[in-house]
Amino acid sequence: MPQEEKNYNFKQLNNPFYIFRPKKLKKNVETFLKKFDGETIYSVKTNPNENVLKKIYNSGIRSFDVASIKEIKLIKSLFSKCKIYYMNPVKSYPMIQESYFKFGVRDFSFDCSDELEKISKATGMAKDLNLHIRISTNNNFCKVNLSKKFGIEGVEAYSLLRKASKISQNVGVSFHVGSQCLSPEAYKIALRKVSSIVSKSGIRIKFVNIGGGFPGKYLDVSLPNLAAYLKKIKSEFKKNFNNYSDIKLLSEPGRVLVYNCMSLVVKVILKQKKKLFINDGIHGHLSEIKKLGLIQPVRLFGKKTNKKNIPFSFYGPTCDSNDFLKGPFFLPESIKNEDFIEIDLMGAYTLTSKNDFNGFYSKPIIFTKE
Ligand SMILES: Cc1ncc(COP(=O)(O)O)c(C=O)c1O
């Protein structure tokens, strides 16, 4: 048993808890910064834990993509020198006002004329805005489609670009290929689309924001690595925008930076043949796993056994009959009630996904493994 498992004193814990591995996070951030030829903006929604945010900042990222005033306040409370991008395409009027006047936010995204007008009015017709038009793009390569809800295309896109350029000289185009995007091709298609919209609009844009989407390597070992994605983006950007050296590339990675920096430790509350009822589920920290149909690496935690592994399914603690993960999760056949299981690769879209259904979840303890 690794030494640190003895030190956690976890045996008394009845709630699921996390183990944070800052070194992995630092490595991910440094790799992204080294390989991406533009400004890297961390997408706070993916994992807004304070220690995670501090590590990201200390590893070199100074820009943050937020979706709400609460996220802005969190970032501002932690870092005095940083840049905030308010990239939720739909924001309430008071939230825009507060972000602009109280927190100095200048970057806003939108995908329709009404939202653009709202941003302009709420900021007192400000002239120093950076306006990001969110276009829709092919999301067929991803596990979480983000173009069903947001994004504009065709004639509407370039007329919105023209309208925005009358409000500010700093306009650009953003897209999101969808989260856990399994092919670099998606970025190529999106960049070509941006190029076509921009040339039809006749507007000189200042930035192209390629969003997030870079996948975590869960159990799909055949996925191209991050370098392949960034290489494709670089070459496609060059091809399409070669004549415009003043256009800046932005990216808003989330998952790829944090997915492997945390694991989750859960407890078996009842073993029923190959069903393991555990103290976490889809109303807790496992909703992303269910949504994406992921199968995470798992292992018995804090205990040694040489019994052979057999496949199990996980059942959450609530009365919701959908609260289960089919798996298969391979664990020792001798596993029993009160044993602990470590579920790896649990850093992205997990901490904030819990709800109050059946009253099970409180704020989890997070141990740090330096
Ligand atoms: C606007 C925006 N940017 C960035 C991200 C992060 O995406 P990912 O975690 O796929 O990198 C998201 C995720 O929903 C998003 O909505």
Side-chain angles (χ1 to χ4, degrees), residues 32 41-46 65-67 85-89 109 134 144 146 150 174-181 187 209-216 251-258 288 348-349:
F32 200 95
I41 305 164
Y42 173 60
S43 189
V44 174
K45 61 178 83 69
T46 322
D65 148 45
V66 302
Y85 290 77
Y86 201 166
M87 303 308 280
N88 185 344
S109 83
R134 171 86 171 255
V144 186
L146 292 170
F150 299 120
S174 76
F175 60 79
H176 199 302
V177 294
S179 204
Q180 189 66 7
C181 174
Y187 294 88
N209 183 339
I210 61 166
F214 306 100
S251 179
E252 298 163 8
R255 185 188 306 276
V256 74
L257 300 184
V258 295
E288 180 75 359
Y349 302 105

Side-chain angles (χ1 to χ4, degrees), residues 350-369:
T350 48
L351 271 174
T352 45
S353 68
K354 64 186 186 313
N355 63 49
D356 241 353
F357 184 68
N358 281 182
F360 275 103
Y361 301 103
S362 45
K363 203 172 172 197
I365 293 177
I366 301 176
F367 296 102
T368 297
K369 182 183 165 188

